[in-house]
Amino acid sequence: MVRTLVLTVDRDNDLGVKAGIRGPVIGRKATLTAALRLGIADPEESDTNAILGALHHHDRLVENAQGNDEIEIALLTGDVRVGPRSDRAIAMQLDEIIQEFQPDSAVLVTDGADDEASLPIITSRVRVDHVEKIIVRQSKGIESTYYYVAKAIDDPRWRAKLLVPVAVFLMIIGLGLIIPGGGALIGAMPLFIGIWLLAKGLGWEQQLERLMIDMRESATGGIWSSLLWGLSIVSVLLAVLTAYQVFTASSTEIDAYVAWLSLADFNVDAVNSDLTVWAIAINEALTWIVVSAFSFALSLGVLRWKEGSFTGRSVLLLGLGIVVYTFAKATLVVILIEMGGADYSLDYQSVSETWGMPVFTIILYYLLRTAVQSVTEEEGVSGENRFWGV
């Protein structure tokens, strides 16, 4: 008795996204139902033809089966984010099918090179006797070419590959025509295109990716973390020394501080107030305090990156630190103006100059947090880590 498994792979999980069916799909009836639901949900989906092709191959093997030979058909689904995540899902589903059916050999039916990328995963677990590619016959001509280009632009996977190079090309031409003497920029465009084609031809992208992986694996996170810890401690010491210089400064030096802050209405005689001196000292030391906090957050981020568990929490902490820094700066300026004997003007120009940057950083922080949450939802992180995770 020979057990033969007919497999088809939906690596980008169109079946789950469009038809709401989770893999693995095992059996002829279940596979036929999946093909019908996917075809009804998207009649133009090529995976439908691949599933029907697998059913055709399954029925043909059943007709030619001898003795007690068993033929089974199964459909594997990956993930929308094609890559390691989809390959892991395919491997887990294949292990489940092998444990249940225990095939002696397999036949793989695909609709293109994207699904054929899963062939090494399949061959590592079961012997593959045949690979069949389903190619849909279409009419030829300009109309059909336009149709394929339009559908490729609508597909998120191909949109970036098609539109980004064209956009960069047009942007370089536009800048070359607008900027004075931009002829050199337009002339350098063939050089950029040649370098890009050379990199694609020599496979530099894979080499660069491999280099980054090797650097991550060989990097000693403790060294960088220690350096950042040292920078954090040094920044705290510099903040203390800067504040000490303000406490021991003379009236002339205080006047220089005030002139650097552009506080023309500040009364230097008001510096006799201890609270005023403290405000100037904090204002001068604030930058070093922020550098110390950033170094501390980055040191923790480096360790998490080395462990492979880096999340968006460090990024959001840095963004929040920038917001706090700009608000603290603006608040200290208002305090110094009030303690210097002048009234803070509430006209539009004064308020915008003082509080414009803090408001702008809040908007940027909101956009950053929204981006982190969006990526978190795409990665399918659990609800507990949805706010921080990337």
Side-chain angles (χ1 to χ4, degrees), residues 350-390:
S350 300
V351 173
S352 61
E353 289 179 356
T354 307
W355 298 100
M357 183 57 68
V359 173
F360 180 69
T361 55
I362 286 181
I363 297 174
L364 291 181
Y365 177 74
Y366 171 77
L367 295 176
L368 177 64
R369 189 180 67 175
T370 303
V372 170
Q373 290 177 339
S374 176
V375 175
T376 302
E377 293 176 357
E378 292 181 2
E379 289 290 343
V381 181
S382 62
E384 296 178 359
N385 295 328
R386 180 164 297 175
F387 181 79
W388 294 109
V390 171

